């Protein structure tokens, strides 16, 4: 099982909202947000939607890969903030980019969503079912935040990232993925309740709720563990890795992981200062930036790592 990334793309809303902008409308400060998270601003969708951004990121990834829409066998979209329940976001992307042959479905694994989607893609590729797959992570988290809860709303942002992948053949690839459903309540969004005769609609949990400290502890203990596990499977040492591309949740989480792995923080690219936490979109957004800046070179060894609601987690080792 292996994947080769052929091209990348991304899309973000026009409007960037700084910490100081938020401090105008709620009881917070640039100092608090920066010191606790490393976040300085985030993009917030005004007119853009998840469908818009997913399609734009997908189109750019196809262009970068030099792949025509008709060549795509499958579109996988990871998201927890689709515009509509049905049709799924992947079908909307298919319609907009003209990938008529593709099988399309969405996948929800919160901040591990892109990681799970990429691993799912690798399974379809290795089975021979698909030759080229478009994998997208997209979120408009601003729509599912409680803007009266300063402990969550300041953390998250909107955007989309995409990759086109094909079977990597002999290229090294390993993955470790997992979930702990019993811990689900620490990062949750009940959303719309079943509004039937027996269960009336409640607004109470219509927005994201989070026990920040529990999620923090989960992240700093799980990420180093699964990184070591995936590298052990790949028979590669921590020092040999060129880039640790982690879900962009919090700079302090990344610092702690780097310290626990005894690796320089320089190997942990970050863009959360400008984007905040974009959940499923964070890893492909970062990969696209690195690709377009020529920061990643052919042959570079990467560990991608996602963690979040579910609880879910995953690490993938791959070679660029
Ligand atoms: O994709 C995974 C998503 N989740 C995460 O990555 C979250 C992981 N957790 C974290 O990043 C941190 O727990 C937070 C950044 C969410 C919070 O940092 P903390 O150091 O755990 O702060 P805290 O929750 O203990 O809150 C400390 C204080 C509280 O005030 P008191 O009770 O000490 O007076 C909060 O009310 O900070 C207050 N506070 C704020 N103050 C200014 C909470 N949010 C804010 C805010 N601005 N936005």
């Amino acid at each position: 099982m292996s994947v080769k990334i052929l091209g990348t793309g991304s899309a973000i809303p026009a409007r960037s909202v700084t910490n100081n902008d938020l401090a105008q409308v709620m009881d917070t400060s640039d100092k608090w947000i920066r010191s606790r998270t490393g976040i300085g601003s985030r993009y917030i969708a005004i007119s853009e939607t998840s469908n818009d951004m997913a399609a734009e990121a997908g189109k750019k990834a196809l262009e970068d890969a030099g792949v025509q829409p008709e060549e795509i066998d499958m579109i996988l979209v990871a998201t927890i903030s689709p515009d509509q329940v049905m049709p799924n976001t992947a079908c909307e992307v298919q319609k907009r980019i003209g990938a008529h042959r593709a099988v399309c479905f969405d996948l929800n694994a919160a901040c591990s969503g892109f990681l799970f989607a990429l691993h799912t893609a690798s399974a379809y590729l290795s089975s021979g079912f698909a030759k080229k797959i478009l994998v997208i992570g997209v979120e408009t988290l601003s729509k599912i935040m409680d803007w009266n809860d300063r402990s969550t709303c300041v953390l998250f942002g909107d955007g989309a990232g995409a990759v086109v992948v094909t079977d990597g053949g002999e290229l090294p690839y390993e993955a470790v993925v997992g979930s702990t459903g019993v811990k689900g309540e620490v990062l949750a969004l009940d959303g719309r309740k079943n509004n039937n005769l027996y269960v009336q609609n409640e607004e109470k949990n219509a927005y994201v709720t989070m026990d920040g400290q529990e999620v923090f502890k989960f992240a700093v203990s799980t990420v180093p563990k699964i990184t070591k596990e995936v590298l052990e499977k790949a028979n590669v040492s921590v020092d040999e890795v060129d880039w640790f591309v982690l879900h962009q949740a919090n700079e302090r989480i990344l610092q702690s992981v780097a310290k626990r792995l005894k690796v320089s923080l320089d190997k942990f690219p970050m863009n959360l200062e400008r984007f905040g936490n974009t959940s499923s979109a964070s890893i492909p957004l970062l990969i696209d930036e690195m690709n377009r800046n020529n920061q990643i070179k052919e042959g570079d060894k990467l560990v991608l790592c996602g963690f979040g609601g579910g609880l879910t987690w995953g690490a993938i080792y791959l070679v660029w």
Side-chain angles (χ1 to χ4, degrees):
M1 219 157 123
S2 182
V3 294
K4 166 101 188 127
I5 296 178
L6 298 174
T8 67
S10 60
I12 46 171
R15 175 82 185 269
S16 168
V17 175
T18 66
N19 295 342
N20 284 327
D21 292 336
L22 291 181
Q24 306 284 316
V25 292
M26 66 181 76
D27 184 14
T28 190
S29 65
D30 180 57
K31 190 167 172 237
W32 191 95
I33 302 172
R34 266 184 206 279
S35 61
R36 304 276 172 146
T37 70
I39 297 166
S41 57
R42 74 286 296 139
Y43 289 89
I44 301 281
I46 308 295
S47 59
E48 303 88 349
T49 66
S50 285
N51 291 337
D52 295 340
M53 293 189 289
E56 188 186 333
K59 209 180 261 182
K60 288 181 178 165
L62 287 175
E63 280 163 18
D64 186 47
V67 168
Q68 297 304 313
E70 311 79 57
E71 293 177 62
I72 294 294
D73 302 304
M74 179 175 280
I75 302 174
L76 285 177
V77 175
T79 186
I80 53 168
S81 49
D83 296 338
Q84 66 289 318
V85 174
M86 185 168 64
N88 63 42
T89 310
C91 281
E92 280 292 324
V93 172
Q94 175 187 41
K95 183 170 77 182
R96 292 172 187 222
I97 68 173
H100 307 296
R101 292 181 42 253
V103 177
C104 304
F105 61 93
D106 290 5
L107 183 155
N108 171 345
C111 301
S112 310
F114 178 78
L115 215 290
F116 280 29
L118 187 60
H119 191 45
T120 303
S122 80
Y124 274 108
L125 291 167
S126 70
S127 74
F129 183 83
K131 298 256 178 290
K132 288 190 180 107
I133 303 183
L134 177 58
V135 185
I136 302 173
V138 63
E139 304 291 0
T140 38
L141 298 175
S142 59
K143 310 275 189 223
I144 57 171
M145 286 298 133
D146 179 353
W147 289 95
N148 293 312
D149 176 9
R150 65 179 182 170
S151 69
T152 52
C153 68
V154 303
L155 306 174
F156 297 93
D158 303 336
V163 297
V164 178
V165 287
T166 191
D167 188 355
E170 296 301 306
L171 276 180
Y173 175 93
E174 290 295 344
V176 173
V177 286
S179 314
T180 309
V182 290
K183 285 269 192 179
E185 78 285 352
V186 303
L187 183 48
L189 167 55
D190 284 359
R192 186 169 48 83
K193 296 279 187 191
N194 291 331
N195 193 14
N196 63 20
L197 187 60
Y198 305 103
V199 187
Q200 291 303 307
N201 201 4
E202 289 176 38
E203 278 299 308
K204 196 162 59 82
N205 292 333
Y207 300 103
V208 169
T209 57
M210 180 174 74
D211 181 338
Q213 288 180 4
E214 277 302 313
V215 177
F216 195 95
K217 279 188 266 175
F218 153 72
V220 298
S221 59
T222 306
V223 176
K225 185 169 153 279
I226 60 175
T227 301
K228 283 182 191 159
E229 268 174 43
V230 83
L231 290 176
E232 226 161 80
K233 281 176 88 172
N235 202 17
V236 170
S237 76
V238 172
D239 295 331
E240 287 177 77
V241 176
D242 296 292
W243 305 110
F244 295 88
V245 183
L246 268 57
H247 165 51
Q248 302 285 292
N250 183 321
E251 189 176 1
R252 288 192 296 140
I253 293 177
L254 274 69
Q255 286 166 343
S256 166
V257 172
K259 200 167 157 197
R260 284 178 196 223
L261 290 174
K262 301 191 178 70
V263 174
S264 160
L265 198 58
D266 296 343
K267 286 192 173 183
F268 288 71
M270 284 186 223
N271 61 9
L272 59 85
E273 201 272 334
R274 283 171 290 124
F275 290 94
N277 178 343
T278 55
S279 193
S280 304
S282 81
I283 292 176
L285 262 171
L286 184 54
I287 291 180
D288 183 49
E289 239 178 33
M290 295 174 74
N291 181 28
R292 283 171 199 272
N293 295 340
N294 292 319
Q295 204 176 347
I296 324 181
K297 306 266 181 282
E298 195 166 353
D300 276 3
K301 299 181 174 73
L302 271 68
V303 172
L304 314 183
C305 196
F307 48 93
L311 295 172
T312 55
W313 65 86
I316 288 176
Y317 170 76
L318 58 81
V319 175
W320 192 259

